[in-house]
Structures are given as C-alpha cells and as structure tokens.
Amino acid sequence: MNRLRIVSIISIVAFAFLSSSPGPALNKKSLEVRSTRDRVANSWIEQVYSPFDTLRTDLSDYIWPTNASTVITSSFADYRRTHLHEGIDISTNNQKGYPVYASRDGYVSRIFISRRGYGKMLTVHHPDGFVTMYAHLQRFMSPIDDYVKKIQKRTRHYSLETDLEPSMFPVSKGDVIAYTGNTGIGAAHLHFEVRDSSFNPINPLLLPHIISALSDEVPPEFQMVAFTPLDRSSKVLGRNKTWTGDAKKEGSGSYTLSQPVKLSGSVGISVRATDRADVLKYRTGCYRFEMYVDGQLLFSSAKNYILESESHLVSNYYDKNLIRLRKGRFEKLYVESGNRLPFYNRLPEGAGTIETSEFQPGEHVLKIATWDLSGNESTLTTILVMGSSSAQ
Ligand SMILES: [Zn+2]
C-alpha cells in the first residue's frame, strides 16, 4: 500500500467519524434540522459536512477477529428481509473451526445460544463501554464452553441467553475466545459486530485495523438505476411507472445509461450497485453515495452506524417494491418522509427527490458517485430531461 492510499483511507475514516452521530440524543437534534424542507439552498449541505460528533472509542485498538480470511462476504447495512445487516460477515472458506480472537481487551459479557438466527454467539464488553459480537460459532473456548454445558444440563435446554459478570471470563486482545462455525442460519462464516456504549451497531470497516486487513482496489460497480414517480401525476419517460435502466460501463469506475431519461413532477432515483475486492467473487454493499444534478449536491448517504431500535427500518433505505419485482436490491437516493435512519446525517426529509418544477425545462446532468471504505470510487453520469407535468 503506498502512502497516498493510506492518506486517503485515513481521510475517509476521519470524514466518516466527523460526520456521524451515534446516539439517540444527536438524532433528535438532526430531526429538528430536517423539519425545514430547504433543499435548494446550500446551507444544509454545509451542515452535512460540518463536524459535530466523534465516537468515543480508541478506533485503532480493534484487531481483525479471526485468521480464517480477510474476505468479507456481506457488509454493514446490507439488505436483510426484516432488518439491516448489523455487522460484517467474514468468510471462513466454507469451513468450521478457525480461532476467533477478542478484538480488544475486555470481558465476555453475554452468551447467546439458539438453533436459529445467530446460533452460538458471544459478546465482549470493552472498558469504554463498546461491545464486539461474534456469531455462528462452532464452540466457545473451554472455560466458557464448560460453563455453558453446565447451564444446558441444568435447564435441559440447548438454547440459552445469559449475561456474565466482568470477573468471570476476562479476555485480552488477541485471546482465542471461540471457534468459527455454522450454527444458526446460513453457511459457515463469522458474523462480527461492533456496538457503541448505547448498543448501536457501528460499521466495523470504519476501524483502521479492520479496513486495512482487507485489500480492495476494485471500484464499486453500478448495475442499474431506477426512476420512480413519487405521486400519481409524476412521470418517467411519459409513464407513471418505475423505469429501470442498465448501467453501461464506459471505463474503470465510470458508467452511464444508454438513453436520456425524461422526468416530470416528483421523482425518486435509486441504484443497484455492489462492491468487491480483487479477484474475489463476493459482492457486498457500497459504503457511501452522493448524487448531483448539474454539479449541485442533492443527496448524500453513508452507512456509518444504525440506531439499535431502527435496524428493522430496512424499507426506508432499500426499495421493497423493486425487490418484490425481483429487480434486485436498489438503494434509494432520496429521503422519504418518516425516514429516521442516520445514514443521511443532517439532510432534511425530501432531500434527493427530483422536483422537475425546480429546474429549467430541458437537459441536465445527473451524476451519482459511490465509494467503498477503501476509498475506491465509481461514478455514473447521464442526462435527465426535465419536463413539466402539464406538458406530458
Ligand atoms: Zn452477518
């Protein structure tokens, strides 16, 4: 890795933390800002980029939690039918039995065993209140495993959920705490989460030693763009119906659509895009999006964290209609009313929605940019033809 690359990663991580707001209190504050529907003025765009919080944890203290691989098969906030993915999935090469390391010093604070979901899971509580979670485990390290077996014998149940005292199983960073497995739902892999002191899931790839373990030099890939009329009088290419177009690759990290898209009224844009690292077949979600019309930023989102109580709000972010139509997982580049996900920082409700009445009729340039957390960027540029509803 050259120096420039390291600098760019550091600046992205710094940006991510400066612009994120973990914790319900800050979310309330941002809701107040969102109540003004001031999408045209630049003032709120400046707010998006103004630092107003930092995470209170030693970011560089976390280590990669296994020697199974440094390959991610699913990223943070990826689509799940009932929730947003609250951690990352690490490949264990479809095998079981790799050691799982405590990512930092702390103590085993919780054991959870179920035949479904996360299977065998444990959490490690760190001195600053942050928590790491490790799931789908084959088994725990022997003193913990012995303890679990005793409880299972006493209760005569396989399933259990128990909180542990700090003195019972203290761990040091790098200690083997368990072995990877395939318990619960899915094939063998390690599900790894980082949570803040309010138990809100944080994107683990924001941590420098976690992201630097990956080697990703491949820019994200655009697959499709969807244009959805947001009310009955709005139209896309003359029809009151969602239109999807394939992304056409023009060069490395550069995409377009095969035709200009005529819009009238109120239209939401969503994209299907994925990221992958070198030579690896796994496609994961992108980290960050921005959308511009004629160079003006209309929308930005970043998957920094999710509030614990809001991870079920999956349809606020992913377009469920397009998933139902088997078109794939489209990510909405507009903030619908009632969307409280913290991906948009201080963007107001309605941000990202194209209101054609706010533009001069005729051609405009749409640019969508996306990044992975290694700093690779892709853009899709195409022409929008803005019309008025009455002219259709
Ligand atoms: Zn997972």
Side-chain angles (χ1 to χ4, degrees), residues 79-97:
Y79 175 82
R80 297 289 184 271
R81 200 172 53 80
T82 57
H83 61 279
L84 295 161
H85 192 221
E86 293 170 322
I88 54 173
D89 289 344
I90 300 170
S91 169
T92 57
N93 314 301
N94 286 319
Q95 292 174 43
K96 300 177 272 184

Side-chain angles (χ1 to χ4, degrees), residues 74 80 85-89 118 136 189-193:
S74 179
R80 297 289 184 271
H85 192 221
E86 293 170 322
I88 54 173
D89 289 344
Y118 284 140
H136 306 298
H189 71 278
L190 176 64
H191 172 93
F192 175 63
E193 288 185 18

Side-chain angles (χ1 to χ4, degrees), residues 77-355:
D78 271 357
Y79 175 82
R80 297 289 184 271
R81 200 172 53 80
T82 57
H83 61 279
L84 295 161
H85 192 221
E86 293 170 322
I88 54 173
D89 289 344
I90 300 170
S91 169
T92 57
N93 314 301
N94 286 319
Q95 292 174 43
K96 300 177 272 184
Y98 290 99
V100 174
Y101 309 123
S103 184
R104 298 173 72 197
D105 291 354
Y107 66 91
V108 178
S109 52
R110 189 152 211 257
I111 295 169
F112 182 92
I113 300 179
S114 161
R115 290 195 192 280
R116 305 173 348 144
Y118 284 140
K120 288 189 180 181
M121 181 188 89
L122 66 73
T123 67
V124 176
H125 190 103
H126 306 295
D128 57 9
F130 274 58
V131 170
T132 46
M133 287 173 58
Y134 314 78
H136 306 298
L137 304 169
Q138 177 188 47
R139 62 188 171 93
F140 307 110
M141 259 317 261
S142 56
I144 307 169
D145 224 38
D146 299 341
Y147 177 78
V148 162
K149 279 179 184 144
K150 261 186 226 160
I151 299 179
Q152 285 174 323
K153 205 170 162 190
R154 198 179 65 224
T155 60
R156 295 184 190 173
H157 281 295
Y158 173 79
S159 301
L160 69 87
E161 207 176 329
T162 183
D163 291 321
L164 304 173
E165 293 299 318
S167 59
M168 290 176 73
F169 302 111
V171 295
S172 298
K173 176 160 71 173
D175 280 357
V176 178
I177 48 176
Y179 292 90
T180 65
N182 64 347
T183 54
I185 300 281
H189 71 278
L190 176 64
H191 172 93
F192 175 63
E193 288 185 18
V194 177
R195 298 208 176 216
D196 71 12
S197 49
S198 304
F199 216 57
N200 301 312
I202 304 294
N203 190 339
L205 297 191
L206 292 169
L207 307 168
H209 292 146
I210 300 292
I211 185 66
S212 64
L214 306 175
S215 113
D216 179 0
E217 303 199 346
V218 180
E221 295 161 23
F222 283 97
Q223 277 110 29
M224 292 181 100
V225 185
F227 296 82
T228 301
L230 296 179
D231 58 37
R232 284 180 171 197
S233 62
S234 300
K235 286 177 180 167
V236 176
L237 290 166
R239 299 177 70 190
N240 184 240
K241 200 175 171 238
T242 296
W243 179 83
T244 57
D246 290 330
K248 233 174 64 183
K249 193 169 181 176
E250 291 193 305
S252 173
S254 164
Y255 295 79
T256 188
L257 295 180
S258 56
Q259 64 172 99
V261 188
K262 189 169 186 185
L263 310 178
S264 68
S266 176
V267 175
I269 298 177
S270 48
V271 291
R272 220 182 83 194
T274 51
D275 182 46
R276 62 191 172 141
D278 310 80
V279 301
L280 300 168
K281 62 182 182 214
Y282 299 103
R283 290 174 190 272
T284 62
C286 302
Y287 163 59
R288 195 155 83 76
F289 288 96
E290 285 182 355
M291 185 174 75
Y292 300 81
V293 173
D294 300 332
Q296 188 188 14
L297 182 65
L298 291 189
F299 174 88
S300 108
S301 66
K303 296 163 184 162
N304 291 326
Y305 73 101
I306 305 166
L307 293 179
E308 213 252 323
S309 56
E310 295 181 353
S311 88
H312 66 286
L313 299 175
V314 57
S315 59
N316 283 358
Y317 187 74
Y318 292 95
D319 190 318
K320 279 264 184 177
N321 283 330
L322 289 168
I323 288 169
R324 237 174 264 134
L325 294 168
R326 296 178 188 274
K327 293 271 192 182
R329 295 163 185 182
F330 284 78
E331 305 179 44
K332 296 180 200 172
L333 305 184
Y334 53 102
V335 187
E336 288 168 305
S337 73
N339 184 346
R340 289 171 293 132
L341 288 171
F343 299 164
Y344 317 103
N345 207 338
R346 296 184 172 192
L347 286 184
E349 284 180 2
T353 306
I354 306 284
E355 303 284 358

